[in-house]
């Protein structure tokens, strides 16, 4: 029981105060720029999507749909293809009841998974460092 509790708490440490939970993503205003982190459940690259990648990330609070446009994919290809644990910064896009995060930056933080077993969680936080974008800032899209 202590082992599972340590891992659950550690995921939130990995997310850091710079990330929000996937549950909080559903309440964020449309076009808000924010950052989430989670385990990669699914990567989809449909042939009909013209280079768009769809990711599904999961944390303890739920799942998050991420849209990665071709230009973003080309910049962060290695992280998107190989990452098991990703931190994604982007903008909220809401279409009816469905909420997506349109990726602007993708970071592979998979090495932090090994640190989850470590009792020294402060070291994990130091290794992770802050993301390069704010977690929640409402800025309208330029037109």
């Amino acid at each position: 029981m202590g082992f599972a509790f340590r891992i659950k708490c550690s995921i939130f440490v990995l997310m850091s105060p710079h990330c929000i939970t996937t549950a909080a993503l559903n309440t964020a205003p449309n076009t808000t720029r924010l950052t989430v982190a989670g385990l990669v459940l699914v990567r989809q690259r449909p042939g009909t999507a013209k280079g768009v990648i769809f990711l599904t990330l999961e944390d303890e609070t739920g799942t998050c749909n991420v849209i990665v446009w071709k230009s973003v994919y080309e910049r962060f290809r290695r992280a998107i293809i190989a990452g098991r644990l990703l931190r994604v910064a982007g903008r909220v896009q809401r279409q009816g009841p469905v909420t997506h995060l349109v990726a602007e930056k993708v970071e592979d933080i998979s090495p932090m998974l090994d640190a989850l077993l470590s009792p020294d969680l402060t070291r994990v936080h130091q290794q992770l460092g802050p993301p390069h974008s704010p977690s929640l800032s409402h800025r309208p899209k330029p037109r």
Side-chain angles (χ1 to χ4, degrees), residues 36-77:
V36 297
L39 295 168
V40 178
L41 295 182
V42 179
R43 287 179 187 87
Q44 296 177 356
R45 189 175 187 176
T48 58
K50 298 180 182 174
V52 177
I53 306 282
F54 301 97
L55 303 173
T56 302
L57 303 181
E58 180 183 41
D59 67 13
E60 284 86 359
T61 66
T63 59
C64 166
N65 299 314
V66 179
I67 298 172
V68 182
W69 294 109
K70 188 175 182 177
S71 60
V72 175
Y73 170 73
E74 290 169 356
R75 285 186 9 232
F76 303 105
R77 183 178 186 274

Side-chain angles (χ1 to χ4, degrees), residues 7-137:
I7 288 179
K8 187 169 184 175
C9 289
S10 298
I11 288 287
F12 285 108
V13 168
L14 288 178
M15 289 175 57
S16 80
H18 305 287
C19 295
I20 66 164
T21 64
T22 57
L25 176 66
N26 294 324
T27 61
N30 200 28
T31 71
T32 301
R33 179 176 281 136
L34 50 77
T35 302
V36 297
L39 295 168
V40 178
L41 295 182
V42 179
R43 287 179 187 87
Q44 296 177 356
R45 189 175 187 176
T48 58
K50 298 180 182 174
V52 177
I53 306 282
F54 301 97
L55 303 173
T56 302
L57 303 181
E58 180 183 41
D59 67 13
E60 284 86 359
T61 66
T63 59
C64 166
N65 299 314
V66 179
I67 298 172
V68 182
W69 294 109
K70 188 175 182 177
S71 60
V72 175
Y73 170 73
E74 290 169 356
R75 285 186 9 232
F76 303 105
R77 183 178 186 274
R78 181 181 299 272
I80 294 166
I81 290 175
R84 297 176 293 147
L85 179 66
L86 297 178
R87 182 165 54 189
V88 180
R91 289 194 184 270
V92 174
Q93 179 184 46
R94 190 166 285 110
Q95 294 176 342
V98 180
T99 303
H100 303 283
L101 184 65
V102 179
E104 296 173 350
K105 180 179 172 121
V106 180
E107 296 176 82
D108 182 3
I109 57 173
S110 299
M112 300 299 116
L113 286 171
D114 295 334
L116 288 176
L117 299 176
S118 169
D120 184 11
L121 296 179
T122 57
R123 184 183 52 146
V124 173
H125 220 1
Q126 290 169 351
Q127 287 177 342
L128 184 60
H132 300 284
S133 65
S135 62
L136 185 61
S137 62

